Amino acid sequence: MERLAMEQLKNWKESPHRKPLLLQGVRQSGKTWLLKEFGRRYYKNTAYFNFDENEEYKQFFETTKDVRRIVQNLAMAGGQTILPGETLLIFDEIQDAPKVLGALKYFCETAPEYHVAAAGSLLGVALAKPSSFPVGKVEFLFIHPMNFTEFLMANGDTNFVRYLAEVDTLEPLPDAFFLPLVEKLKMYYVTGGMPEAVLRWTDERSTEAVQSVLFQILEAYERDFTKHPDTKEYPKLSLVWRSLPSQLARENKRFLYKVVKEGARAREYEDAVGWLVNAGLVHKIYRVTKPNLPLSAYDDLSAFKIYVADVGLLRRMAQLAPSAFAEGNRLFTEFKGALTENYVLTALLPQFEEVPRYWSQTNPSYEVDFLVQQDNAIIPFEVKAETNLKSRSLQKFKELFSEEIGLRVRLSLDNLKFDGGVLNVPLFMADQAGRLVKMARESY
């Protein structure tokens, strides 16, 4: 499989200002595979050390801060050759080794000739609590589950990937591309972007295998809940996690604690929500009161929506069977668009520096699904699960904030077009949204 993050790793390798790299992401998003594949392709050899499987290696970091001595001990114990500039030194499961995490500082300061990449779960690194975190001495790279573009590459559809990347006019796509891409997007909703699920689909073309993989991943996540420092929080974590399909199935997707448990209050469950966010299992999207710069200054901290890290996991959690996806457009009407919104959010996150927000008002009720900040512009995004192009909320938003808002974007199953200040992006081009928005802004 191909991961787009490989280009970022190549840039890291070639940078004259390279520091030790800390690769993070939700569990089972492919961190270890990515680093090993990177080493295989671009280094003479790779020296891999897993501090969960080989706890004895941690001792090398506890007795000395001399990096060259540490490297010598690792090489001899692991039977591996470690050469400056020619070997990719991988430290895996670093969240289980606080001293190793702290030692990255000394690799940066005293031995920059060694290429060191470490991998760890988001939550684990946060809980590791090294005696001195190497602030300013490491680079960070976050990888998400595979997006739709990476799914197409894994599925052998490189022709579609090349075509979408080369679209340079805001005009409708030919049916020869549009129709198959809609069908492939439906399949992506089934598999999601967890690498193992995608691999099982591309190898076996079995939805049963995909179902099994996603179930096992969800089970592993729930077992991780027991790692919370306060064991009393475990039941709350499970309740919040299992409430997510119900939260997203509602017309107004604002997170409500009473959906978690009757009578539940924010102060009882906000720590559980924070734990899930820190673990990378969910994304928290705040409501903003107005679309001004910077968006973060207008966050309403009492109102937010929560989405799952991967659309395939959300589908599995909701127990929506893969067979529903073969029933015409039923896919996009079931679950009240929750899958579509979740998919769009995960596509937008890597494209913009700021986490998207949303806007809403009541009496009468209007809601714009996402607001993103591109350069010094605020762009409203509305998500339509089908081809219904009535954008009541998007129009109202324009009326209320005409001075702040120019371009508006709608993602739907309609074809690509730019008309009247509204850019319609086909859902299967969500990975291209940032680039298409720039094209529209330049011509608007």
Side-chain angles (χ1 to χ4, degrees), residues 222-254:
E222 293 219 31
R223 286 195 293 272
D224 277 351
F225 296 166
T226 60
K227 296 178 181 178
H228 194 287
D230 185 351
T231 55
K232 295 178 182 177
E233 293 295 311
Y234 172 76
K236 296 178 183 178
L237 283 166
S238 292
L239 286 172
V240 172
W241 178 246
R242 293 177 183 180
S243 79
L244 294 180
S246 298
Q247 300 275 3
L248 290 169
R250 295 165 35 251
E251 189 67 30
N252 176 4
K253 295 177 177 61
R254 173 182 173 181

Side-chain angles (χ1 to χ4, degrees), residues 409-428:
V409 180
R410 178 178 55 230
L411 287 111
S412 72
L413 281 184
D414 200 22
N415 214 324
L416 179 64
K417 62 181 177 182
F418 185 35
D419 182 35
V422 178
L423 172 66
N424 189 85
V425 177
L427 285 167
F428 55 75

Side-chain angles (χ1 to χ4, degrees), residues 115 166 197:
H115 292 212
E166 293 171 2

